[in-house]
Amino acid sequence: MNLKDLYIDFFKSKGHKQIPSAPVVPENDPSVLFNTAGMQPLIPYLMGQKHPYGTRICNYQKCLRTNDLDNIGDTYHHTFFEMLGNWSLGDYFKKESITWSFEFLTKVLNIPKEKLAVTVFAGNDNIDEDKESISIWKSLGIPSEKIIKTKNDNFWIAGETGPCGPDTEIFYFRSDEAVPNFFDPNDERWVEIWNNVFMQYNKINENTFIDLPNKNVDTGMGVERMVAILEGVDDNYKSSLWLPIISKIEKISNKSYLGNEKEMRIIADHIRSAVFIAGDKSGIKPSNTDQGYILRRLIRRAIRYAKKIDININSNFISEIAIEIIHIYEKYYSELKENRETILEVLENEKNKFNKTLEKGLKEFEKSLNYIKNNKIDAITAFKLYDTYGFPIELTEEIAKERNIIVDTIGFKEKFKEHQEKSRTASAGKFKGGLASDGEMEIKYHTATHLLNAALKQIVSKDVHQKGSNITSERMRFDFSCDHKLTEDEKNKVEKLVNKWIQEGHDVIKTEMTKEEAIKSGAECMFIEKYPDIVTVYSIDNLSRELCGGPHVKNTSELGEFIIIKEESSSAGVRRIKAILK
Ligand code: SER
């Protein structure tokens, strides 16, 4: 049996229910591009909302981290990865959590306890030392010499604020050499394999921690690393998870992994990530903003590395590798099977688009070397490579770095901004995962979302609540709780009411108030827990009042005609409306 199955079975035997992996693109959290940890989709529940599956849950979760794409190519960094997690939502706490982790490692995976060591929270000005975890570890037979206390490495939080708590990290001695008697976290032979976070605080600001309604447990174990450890290989890409993908690349390139490790790892990693992004429920397509930009960068970088090892990039090598990846994972992620055609189409289209300009772009790059000054590619060239030849700036930087030159990225960003302002697509669109700001249409759709939310409440039920939304310059998508398919009559009435409000020309007013005032005033919001103490509320006369970051139009008369184009199911108890403004 493989690790994922063993893990899920074990935690089911301890009373946990398995929940499905959330999409890799968060559905209700615009603050991050991708889920970076298994707990991310669970934040509302860690904050106290009731989870439909109960208080003990476990899963394997699709995660993606893009902050260090440059590290990809070594033996253990991956852009996409799977995380195993088990959670207690106000149910068990430290004792069970640690004991079960230990039991799973030593009894199910048969890891000798001598090869394990742990770190625990040493305490700081705000929060006490985690004595309880120390004594639990000791009771399980982990000696004091293998328990290290740290201040900074044993407190876990996803971002700046939110649910958090002390954690205990479990390390494994990954070496054939004799296990030292003392644990030294700086000794690279000790690798972290599991993190158990005791989430009991909500961090409001730098020095303010308030108790969460529940004491929760959040654990996370990376699948790729653990599988490599269990199989005794020192390079994750040599484990059974990656080997079929690497073999495929060896076959296509007619080269061996040995000697071409970096290139093959990057190709494997990036195409695997692209498969999961393109195959996600969210239907991301390559673009120049947000998740689409990451997808584009991954595919284009994979292509460039394929070219480096002499793969014929005009062949269908991307599809061949993707098919292998889908084959490996479809048993666990049925969306890959369902979206197989889309995935292959996205990859092939993007490849064809890039291949058309890659050669010429590289020539342009070489040409520019004749006139560069101070070892620096100037902004105009970098922008031309981006705009005319489709080179993401990071790619230009990477190629430059290989030749020991740099790129004027600041100048590039200025050019980029100028260009955006000129083309009026977005006043300062998301760049490299930075903050979004919206174009004219997006702003209109944003306000239309509030009107639709209010109209659904009036026509369908006051229990309708927003569950998510997604806006592009072309359309809006709105997910809401509702126990039935809307009837034609309901749909018509909702559409009419929104149009009536648009025609009546209501002002949209922005006010700031404390969270408590906002709740008292009956403002609608998705997850009150996620908001800071002072919030912005947008009201549309007395029709709608929502906690929201904006931006919005000044008056509803700016919206034009509102048309519902589709109403469908999104998930159990959640309906989805797609609508446009004309
Ligand atoms: N959230 C913690 C982590 O990502 C444990 O799952 O390490």
Side-chain angles (χ1 to χ4, degrees), residues 29 31-32 39-40 43-44 46-47 155-165 199 201-210 212 515 528-534:
D29 188 353
S31 66
V32 287
M39 54 73 76
Q40 213 131 22
I43 290 178
L46 293 164
M47 294 293 234
F155 196 88
W156 202 88
I157 184 162
E160 293 299 316
T161 54
C164 56
M199 282 199 167
Y201 305 107
N202 183 10
K203 184 174 177 188
I204 307 288
N205 59 41
E206 200 40 52
N207 287 311
T208 320
F209 294 82
I210 54 172
L212 286 173
K515 200 149 91 170
I528 187 76
E529 312 84 8
K530 277 199 193 173
Y531 290 86
D533 286 347
I534 301 291

Side-chain angles (χ1 to χ4, degrees), residues 24 115 213 223 302 308 332 377 380 402 581:
V24 75
K115 287 202 145 202
V223 173
K308 278 188 173 209
Y332 293 97
I377 302 270
I380 297 176
E402 288 166 6
L581 289 170

